[in-house]
């Protein structure tokens, strides 16, 4: 279809170009529609050609930076890439705030997500009349990085650990953002972050190592669907390296991503990433080299040096003058940029199809209703012994640190209003509910002076001091967020204490900022006193060298940072016990609702991974105490990631999970808890029992390390796709239909409800290690009591393919495939088998040049960049490193090893059957001064014949790009 569409566009372009050529010769001024680039009747390519031809070389270069300046002589306004719109428009003021991205995906409802995207696109357009700072129509959303590790700090931004689910949700959201017509874009969404970006630890210098099967079957499949469906207009390159090469210069930006569509894409860098190429990554010696390499790899827009395009323009001009770039390289990138701007209607009369949208759409009644629906559908019922739904005639207490607050994250918009869980339940019952945050209120008294730490009153607060005031100014509510981190909220004004680079002041409504400066640790000493340690995120940065302990630093007792030996020792006097207050609130009530969870700025976020997936200890203690006081305890876990819940899933009668779900969180929870809505959300990630179930967060080989539900062999806490309902569903048998399968699903309960029917496949036998099961289709269906619906589950032959490393192509093997349908990856209700006549992967032929990266198994091997522009090689990280090339046909005998080697001196051995098997050849390598300088090494082989597994054993530091056994 891509080829047909491309031919159709070309034919139309030629025809209209002939007509337009006449008007293009007429005199025109900047705003005159006689300029072909301003004529919406012409095809996009013709308009782009015309506008490009009118730009000077300097003007063309100026468009390569994030902040594209105005060109007054052509009547062109400035343009900016990069408005954030992950779950609503962010950083521009009050807008509709939808559930976090992982919550949106938990709906398993693409049509709903399309509607959310449509609303967000409208709101992005809603700012176009005023154009506030930070506004633009190139949106940096959605995030499609796969959630293979729940410890990733940005888990809240992604959709799922599964590429098929991620692809379908991102396509739905992107379709809504674009408006559904790729030639007339409402907004231009950009997929983040290409590629394999799933750790924040040293994210600009760590390399995500992707063997070909992981690259093709897993990581690329998350990005491909939205691009193919014209639901995204480009990708953002990520900070990390892939196989030793920074993603900012990954040739896949051109070679792979642009091959997925016939339309122009606008690819951008992440913020400051171009500078990393010469800075932290040290990949190039000059910025001219770096920017030239990025442009050639497929980057069109440089996000660097904030709003100053000067350094980028200077680097590009230097690259041109030195021959690193040609003017055609500039033109190619500018064409991509202009194509998007034309399709956005920027040069159309009145701004095109969407030019009249104004601020009235922002936080409209329709969007508020949609936000409530999304928050309701996103929640997942984890456990229910019959306690839920609650009776509206019953009394309730709502307690916990998240009971009466809503938190926003880094990429949230500003809440236009906030319905907290307490608010929502009170409104549902029509009567006030008792409540308590369940946190201790303390006073800190300096044992040396007897004085108290005191804060200021009023919204601005004041610098913390030690004074003799023991009243409310000396009292702080302590919120425990786990890993020893607490926040201190002043009782004097309800504001959080934070560091402002000189003083500690109680002036923030919630922890926030790029450096979250409202974090502390109360370090208990052997004498029972406490040191107050400042634990703001910046203290973890390499440049931080200041002391981190608090103590009187001024003559007036003002607190500052002092060395540990000068730190004040405080007694922690409990003014009010949070547990006691919560227990008192729930006693005598029919139900206790405990809302616990995370603070998005603290429990992992951009630049900070999680080290702990459990609830904070004091939160877990709170739940247990409330449960003892009131057996009918319902726990709501409100966070952004799979949680190791310890014993709580056994101890409490009902558990409901929701992400931070935006302005309508409280109403959605009340609807669910009291049965006006039936939980239908499903988990998009495996919930593990312990972090010990996971390998290193830097291990990206999901196949070898048995990662995600596809390969995990352990027993999860909750499996991928899991979620309960207030009703029950019965599945019929799977029936083959032309496009896949169908299954009848019946609501066998007394309540209307939604079932998410999930279809998986499993390949019984294969040359290669296959997933235990893999999602291929799903459908969220609404059923009334007793109602039956037949659900269509698409399955094509291509859905059974995997990447064949022996021939570097997709292959469907001949064999039997299990087709499964059920309520989760572990709850299969219907199954059948499918016999497929496909291919048999032949024995390997190592007689021809074989890429070393196309191994079947390995030990102590790293994947590295063969050269800076392109290619992947392998590198031995220890002596005795090996590569396995299974099922090789050596025939009557191979007589010579030929290998392309670089790096350290050492030996390359050829062994048969195992890494310790019979040696049939050995080559010595003298090494090269550069890891990118490869030399051909040969050695004779003896006894290398027949059909066998071949192992190549390498010395530490040896690099190999290709080899053959002839």
């Amino acid at each position: 279809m891509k080829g047909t569409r491309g031919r159709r566009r070309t034919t139309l372009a030629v025809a209209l170009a002939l007509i337009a050529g006449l008007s293009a010769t007429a005199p025109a001024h900047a705003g005159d529609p006689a300029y072909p680039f301003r004529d919406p009747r012409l095809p996009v390519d013709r308009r782009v050609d015309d506008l490009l031809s009118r730009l000077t070389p300097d003007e063309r270069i100026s468009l390569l930076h994030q902040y594209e300046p105005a060109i007054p002589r052509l009547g062109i306004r400035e343009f900016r890439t990069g408005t954030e719109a992950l779950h609503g428009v962010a950083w521009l003021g009050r807008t509709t705030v939808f559930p976090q991205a992982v919550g949106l995906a938990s709906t398993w409802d693409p049509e709903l997500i399309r509607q959310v995207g449509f609303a967000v696109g409208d709101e992005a357009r809603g700012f176009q009349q005023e154009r506030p700072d930070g506004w633009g129509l190139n949106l940096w959303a959605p995030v499609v990085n796969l959630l293979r590790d729940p410890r990733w700090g940005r888990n809240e931004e992604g959709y799922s650990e599964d590429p098929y689910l991620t692809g379908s949700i991102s396509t739905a959201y992107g379709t809504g953002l674009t408006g559904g017509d790729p030639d007339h874009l409402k907004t231009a969404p950009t997929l983040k972050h290409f590629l394999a970006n799933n750790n924040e630890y040293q994210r600009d210098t760590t390399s995500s190592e992707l063997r070909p099967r992981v690259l093709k079957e897993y990581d690329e499949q998350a990005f491909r669907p939205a691009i193919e469906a014209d639901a995204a207009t480009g990708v953002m390159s990520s900070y990390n390296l892939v196989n030793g090469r920074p993603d900012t210069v990954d040739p896949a930006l051109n070679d792979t991503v642009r091959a997925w569509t016939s339309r122009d894409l606008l690819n951008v860098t992440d913020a400051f990433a171009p500078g990393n190429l010469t800075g932290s990554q040290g990949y190039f010696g000059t910025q001219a080299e770096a920017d030239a390499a990025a442009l050639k790899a497929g980057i069109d827009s440089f996000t660097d040096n904030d709003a100053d395009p000067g350094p980028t323009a200077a680097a590009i001009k230097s690259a041109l003058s030195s021959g690193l770039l040609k003017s055609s390289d500039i033109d190619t990138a500018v064409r991509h940029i202009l194509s998007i701007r034309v399709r956005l209607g920027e040069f159309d009369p009145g701004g095109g199809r969407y030019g009249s949208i104004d601020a009235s759409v922002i936080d409209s009644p329709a969007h508020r209703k949609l936000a409530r629906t999304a928050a309701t559908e996103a929640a997942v019922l984890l456990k229910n012994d019959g306690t839920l739904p609650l009776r509206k005639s019953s009394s309730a207490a709502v307690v916990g640190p998240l009971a009466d607050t809503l938190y926003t994250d880094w990429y949230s918009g500003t809440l236009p209003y906030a319905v907290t869980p307490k608010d929502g339940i009170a409104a549902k019952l029509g009567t006030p509910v008792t409540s308590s945050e369940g946190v201790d209120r303390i006073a800190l008294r300096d044992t040396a002076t007897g004085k108290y730490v005191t804060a200021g009153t009023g919204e601005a607060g004041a610098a913390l001091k030690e004074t003799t005031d023991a009243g409310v100014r000396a009292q702080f509510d302590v919120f425990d967020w786990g890993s020893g981190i607490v926040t201190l909220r002043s009782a004097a004004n309800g504001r959080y204490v934070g560091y402002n680079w000189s003083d500690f002041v109680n002036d923030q409504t919630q922890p926030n900022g790029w450096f979250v400066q409202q974090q502390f640790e109360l370090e208990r000493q052997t004498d029972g006193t406490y040191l107050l340690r400042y634990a703001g995120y910046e203290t973890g940065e390499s440049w931080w060298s200041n002391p981190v302990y608090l103590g009187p630093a001024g003559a007036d007792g003002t607190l500052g940072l002092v060395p540990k030996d000068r730190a004040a020792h405080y007694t922690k006097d409990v003014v009010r016990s949070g547990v006691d207050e919560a227990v008192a609130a729930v006693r005598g009530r029919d139900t206790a609702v405990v809302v616990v969870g995370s603070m998005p700025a603290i429990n992992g976020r951009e630049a900070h991974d999680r080290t702990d997936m459990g609830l904070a200890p004091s939160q877990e203690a709170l739940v247990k105490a409330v449960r003892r006081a009131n057996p009918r305890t319902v726990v709501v876990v409100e966070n952004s990631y799979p949680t190791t819940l310890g014993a709580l899933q056994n101890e409490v009668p009902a558990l409901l999970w929701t992400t931070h779900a935006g302005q309508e969180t409280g109403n959605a929870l009340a609807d669910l808890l009291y049965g006006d809505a039936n939980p239908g959300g499903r988990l998009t990630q495996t919930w593990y029992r312990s972090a010990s179930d996971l390998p290193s967060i830097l291990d990206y080989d999901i196949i070898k390390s048995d990662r995600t539900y596809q390969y995990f062999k352990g027993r999860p806490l909750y499996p991928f796709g899991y979620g309960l309902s207030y009703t029950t569903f019965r599945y019929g048998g799977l029936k083959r239909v032309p496009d896949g399968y169908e299954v009848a699903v019946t609501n066998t309960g007394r309540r209307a409800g939604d079932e998410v029917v999930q279809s998986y496949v499993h390949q019984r036998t294969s040359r290669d290690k296959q997933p235990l099961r893999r999602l291929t289709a799903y459908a969220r269906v609404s059923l009334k009591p007793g109602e039956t619906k037949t659900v269509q589950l698409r399955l094509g032959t291509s859905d059974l393919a995997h990447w064949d490393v022996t021939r570097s192509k997709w292959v469907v093997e001949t064999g039997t495939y299990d087709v499964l349908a059920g309520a989760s990856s572990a709850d299969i209700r219907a199954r059948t088998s499918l016999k497929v006549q496909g291919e048999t992967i032949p024995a390997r032929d190592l007689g021809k040049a074989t890429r070393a990266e196309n191994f079947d198994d390995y030990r102590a091997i790293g994947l590295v960049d063969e050269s800076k522009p392109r290619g992947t090689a392998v590198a031995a990280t220890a002596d005795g490193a090996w590569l396995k090339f299974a099922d090789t046909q050596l025939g009557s005998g191979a007589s010579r090893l030929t290998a392309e080697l670089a790096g350290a001196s050492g030996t390359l051995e050829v062994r048969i059957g195992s890494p310790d098997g019979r040696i049939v050849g050995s080559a010595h390598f003298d090494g090269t001064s550069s890891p990118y300088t490869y030399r051909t090494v040969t050695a004779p082989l003896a006894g290398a014949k027949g059909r066998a597994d071949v192992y190549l054993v390498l010395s530490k530091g040896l690099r190999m790009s290709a080899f053959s056994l002839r």
Side-chain angles (χ1 to χ4, degrees):
M1 289 182 64
K2 285 194 299 183
T4 302
R5 181 177 60 196
R7 288 194 298 273
R8 203 161 47 232
R9 290 175 64 217
T10 301
T11 302
L12 180 63
V14 171
L16 292 180
L18 293 174
I19 299 171
L22 298 175
S23 62
T25 60
H29 57 80
D32 195 324
Y35 269 132
F37 78 82
R38 292 194 177 278
D39 188 347
R41 297 170 299 175
L42 298 181
V44 172
D45 292 347
R46 175 71 178 88
R47 299 174 71 184
V48 169
D49 288 344
D50 176 70
L51 179 50
L52 182 65
S53 71
R54 300 177 189 280
L55 298 176
T56 68
D58 282 351
E59 287 170 342
R60 297 180 191 195
I61 291 173
S62 74
L63 300 182
L64 300 180
H65 190 264
Q66 178 187 20
Y67 288 81
E68 302 175 26
I71 304 176
R73 69 181 185 84
L74 293 175
I76 294 174
R77 300 181 71 173
E78 70 278 359
F79 184 87
R80 176 186 181 274
T81 66
T83 295
E84 301 291 352
L86 185 60
H87 54 109
V89 182
W91 304 357
L92 299 181
R94 298 181 185 275
T95 58
T96 306
V97 179
F98 294 95
Q100 291 175 310
V102 70
L104 292 176
S106 299
T107 67
W108 292 63
D109 189 343
E111 175 53 27
L112 173 67
I113 303 309
R114 186 196 64 79
Q115 293 175 32
V116 171
F118 199 88
V120 175
D122 274 353
E123 296 203 5
R125 280 279 181 174
F127 289 97
Q128 67 186 343
Q129 312 303 333
E130 292 78 20
R131 299 167 69 101
D133 287 344
W135 173 84
L137 293 176
N138 173 242
L139 306 184
W140 285 356
V143 171
V144 299
N145 295 113
L146 292 164
L147 306 182
R148 58 165 193 114
D149 194 310
R151 295 170 297 190
W152 185 35
R154 302 179 76 168
N155 197 85
E156 66 201 32
E157 298 182 37
Y159 290 136
S160 172
E161 68 184 32
D162 181 77
Y164 177 80
L165 181 58
T166 295
S168 67
I169 297 294
S170 59
T171 298
Y173 191 62
T175 299
L177 292 176
T178 65
D181 181 349
D183 287 324
H184 300 88
L185 298 169
K186 183 188 296 183
T187 67
T190 302
L191 303 182
K192 299 198 298 187
H193 312 78
F194 191 84
L195 182 70
N197 176 205
N198 190 224
N199 64 274
E200 297 303 291
Y201 172 75
Q202 297 181 357
R203 61 181 179 169
D204 58 329
T205 56
T206 54
S207 178
S208 306
E209 296 185 6
L210 304 180
R211 57 196 283 196
R213 281 195 64 198
V214 176
L215 172 67
K216 294 296 182 182
E217 297 174 24
Y218 192 63
D219 283 277
E220 283 185 359
Q221 295 311 307
F223 286 83
R224 183 171 184 163
I227 297 290
E228 279 191 334
D230 293 324
T233 60
V235 301
M236 172 192 283
S237 61
S238 55
Y239 286 121
N240 57 288
L241 297 81
V242 166
N243 297 345
R245 180 180 297 104
D247 273 336
T248 310
V249 292
D250 187 347
L253 292 163
N254 265 336
D255 300 347
T256 301
V257 177
R258 287 199 160 98
W260 292 333
T261 179
S262 61
R263 297 184 185 275
D264 284 324
L265 300 176
L266 166 55
N267 293 335
V268 306
T269 74
D270 208 336
F272 305 104
N276 290 343
L277 291 169
T278 55
S280 60
Q281 293 166 345
Y283 206 68
F284 296 100
T286 68
Q287 202 60 47
E289 293 174 279
D291 286 5
L295 205 67
K296 286 184 174 182
I299 289 297
D300 305 305
S301 179
F302 292 81
T303 315
D304 209 7
N305 304 294
D306 291 319
D308 181 7
T312 295
I316 295 296
K317 290 177 181 179
S318 175
L320 280 168
S321 64
S322 61
L324 293 171
L325 286 174
K326 300 176 181 178
S327 59
S328 59
D329 296 320
I330 308 297
D331 290 352
T332 296
V334 173
R335 283 181 187 276
H336 298 152
I337 295 166
L338 295 180
S339 175
I340 299 302
R341 294 181 66 171
V342 166
R343 290 152 61 193
L344 283 167
E346 178 181 349
F347 309 124
D348 293 358
R353 180 180 295 181
Y354 303 106
S356 63
I357 296 176
D358 59 24
S360 63
V361 301
I362 298 172
D363 188 36
S364 67
H367 292 179
R368 291 184 174 193
K369 181 179 179 181
L370 185 62
R372 183 168 180 166
T373 299
T376 304
E377 286 201 20
V380 181
L381 183 60
L382 300 177
K383 180 184 179 182
N384 186 24
D385 68 354
T387 299
L388 295 176
L390 303 173
R391 290 178 292 107
K392 295 176 190 174
S393 59
S394 62
S395 60
V398 186
V399 300
L402 281 80
D404 197 25
T405 189
L406 295 185
Y407 288 122
T408 54
D409 60 51
W410 179 249
Y411 288 106
S412 289
T414 302
L415 292 170
Y417 59 89
V419 182
T420 69
K422 175 188 171 185
D423 294 336
I425 291 174
K428 181 69 63 177
L429 298 182
T431 182
V433 297
T434 59
S435 184
S436 165
E437 290 176 308
V439 300
D440 287 345
R441 177 165 290 185
I442 66 168
L444 296 170
R445 183 175 58 84
D446 189 330
T447 58
T449 65
K451 294 181 178 180
Y452 290 88
V453 175
T454 55
T457 58
E459 290 187 0
L464 265 58
K465 296 181 179 180
E466 288 192 1
T467 73
T468 57
D469 186 347
V472 70
R473 293 177 60 233
Q475 297 174 8
F476 300 89
D477 297 323
V478 183
F479 291 81
D480 176 13
W481 301 112
S483 301
I485 299 297
V486 301
T487 53
L488 302 174
R489 189 182 64 195
S490 170
N493 66 350
R495 298 294 179 107
Y496 286 86
V497 175
Y499 185 52
N500 64 8
W501 302 102
S502 60
D503 294 313
F504 290 92
V505 181
N506 57 316
D507 62 351
Q508 297 299 308
T509 57
Q510 75 167 51
N512 63 87
W514 179 255
F515 295 120
V516 185
Q517 301 180 333
Q518 295 81 31
Q519 300 178 85
F520 299 90
E521 293 181 52
L522 285 167
E523 292 186 354
R524 184 178 174 86
Q525 306 300 296
T526 55
D527 63 358
T529 63
Y530 291 83
L531 302 185
L532 185 56
R533 185 182 191 276
Y534 171 51
Y537 274 156
E538 67 270 31
T539 62
E541 300 290 335
S542 59
W543 46 262
W544 180 267
S545 60
N546 293 335
V548 292
Y549 289 91
L550 273 68
D556 62 350
T558 299
L559 294 187
L561 292 171
V562 298
K564 187 173 184 179
D565 59 3
R566 288 176 48 203
H569 285 247
Y570 295 107
T571 61
K572 186 179 72 172
D573 303 332
V574 177
V575 178
R576 184 187 67 203
S577 165
V579 168
D580 290 348
E581 184 183 69
V583 165
V586 304
R587 279 204 175 110
R589 314 304 288 180
D590 294 324
T591 306
V593 178
V594 189
V595 190
V596 293
S598 70
M599 200 286 134
I602 293 174
N603 294 107
R605 47 152 283 180
E606 186 166 356
H608 294 273
D609 292 316
R610 268 176 295 282
T611 57
D612 183 357
M613 294 188 296
L615 286 178
S618 68
Q619 293 188 26
E620 188 166 347
L622 173 67
V623 171
K624 290 179 179 179
V626 169
R627 163 68 169 153
R628 287 192 296 269
N630 190 324
R632 287 181 59 83
T633 293
V634 175
V635 176
V636 176
V637 178
E638 186 180 334
N639 64 16
S640 314
Y641 48 89
T643 308
T644 52
L645 292 174
L648 287 186
Q649 76 274 11
N650 295 322
E651 294 180 3
V652 298
L655 275 167
L656 183 72
W657 174 82
T658 180
T659 191
H660 295 280
Q663 62 208 52
E664 286 286 341
T665 298
N667 283 331
L669 287 176
D671 287 344
L672 292 161
L673 294 175
Y674 287 89
D676 288 334
N678 193 339
R682 301 292 185 265
L683 299 178
T684 67
Q685 293 175 266
T686 302
W687 282 42
Y688 298 96
R689 293 181 177 274
S690 168
S692 64
D693 290 330
L694 296 165
S696 165
I697 196 172
L698 300 180
D699 182 350
Y700 278 76
D701 190 346
I702 68 164
I703 298 175
K704 188 174 179 68
S705 60
D706 293 331
R707 206 164 206 166
T708 81
Y709 82 95
Q710 292 191 12
Y711 294 96
F712 182 60
K713 297 174 182 175
R715 187 167 65 95
L717 180 64
Y718 299 113
F720 172 84
Y722 174 86
L724 301 178
S725 172
Y726 295 153
T727 189
T728 54
F729 302 95
R730 182 181 66 242
Y731 284 61
L734 279 165
K735 296 180 181 179
R736 190 84 165 102
V737 294
D739 293 329
Y741 289 84
E742 64 181 24
V743 61
V745 180
T746 303
N747 182 343
T748 55
R750 297 181 178 180
R751 289 178 175 269
D754 288 4
E755 173 70 323
V756 178
V757 182
Q758 303 162 43
S759 180
Y760 299 86
V761 296
H762 167 68
Q763 186 173 343
R764 291 186 184 178
T765 59
S766 174
R767 177 198 181 277
D768 301 308
K769 181 178 179 180
Q770 293 295 331
L772 301 172
R773 56 195 54 174
R774 179 169 54 84
L775 184 72
T776 56
Y778 67 91
R780 180 165 176 154
V781 291
S782 299
L783 294 166
K784 299 174 183 177
E787 183 180 11
T788 298
K789 286 185 180 179
T790 299
V791 179
Q792 305 293 320
L793 299 166
R794 185 194 59 81
L795 182 67
T797 302
S798 62
D799 297 317
L800 306 176
H802 77 278
W803 188 255
D804 173 19
V805 294
T806 72
R807 296 172 293 173
S808 295
K809 58 176 262 187
W810 291 99
V811 62
V812 177
E813 290 181 281
T814 296
T816 301
Y817 295 75
D818 294 317
V819 181
L820 315 168
S824 80
S825 60
D827 184 5
I828 301 303
R829 309 286 185 85
R831 65 179 65 228
T832 188
S833 61
L834 174 66
K835 293 187 182 299
V836 175
Q837 188 61 45
E839 296 183 62
T840 297
I841 299 175
R844 277 188 182 270
D845 178 9
L846 298 182
K848 56 187 178 183
T850 299
R851 298 294 302 174
E853 65 179 309
N854 285 328
F855 51 75
D856 289 295
D857 199 2
Y858 62 99
R859 176 190 172 277
I861 289 291
L863 293 167
V864 295
D865 48 338
E866 180 181 4
S867 68
K868 288 188 177 181
R870 62 182 58 249
T872 296
V874 301
T877 59
D879 286 332
W882 54 260
L883 299 167
K884 177 183 179 181
F885 295 86
D887 190 25
T888 296
Q889 180 57 265
L890 297 168
S892 59
S895 61
R896 180 164 296 276
L897 161 70
T898 302
E900 303 299 320
L901 303 179
S905 62
T907 58
L908 170 62
E909 298 176 344
V910 182
R911 293 177 178 264
I912 301 298
S914 75
D916 301 318
R918 176 169 50 90
I919 297 180
V920 297
S922 179
H924 178 73
F925 178 60
D926 291 331
T928 56
S929 58
S930 167
Y932 303 122
T933 302
Y934 286 82
R935 290 180 181 161
T936 302
V937 174
T938 63
L941 299 174
K945 61 183 178 180
R947 192 164 176 170
D949 295 340
V950 172
Y951 287 79
L952 302 184
V953 183
L954 296 78
S955 300
K956 182 179 181 179
L958 204 62
R959 287 187 172 209
M960 179 168 61
S961 61
F963 73 99
S964 65
L965 305 180
R966 292 190 176 93

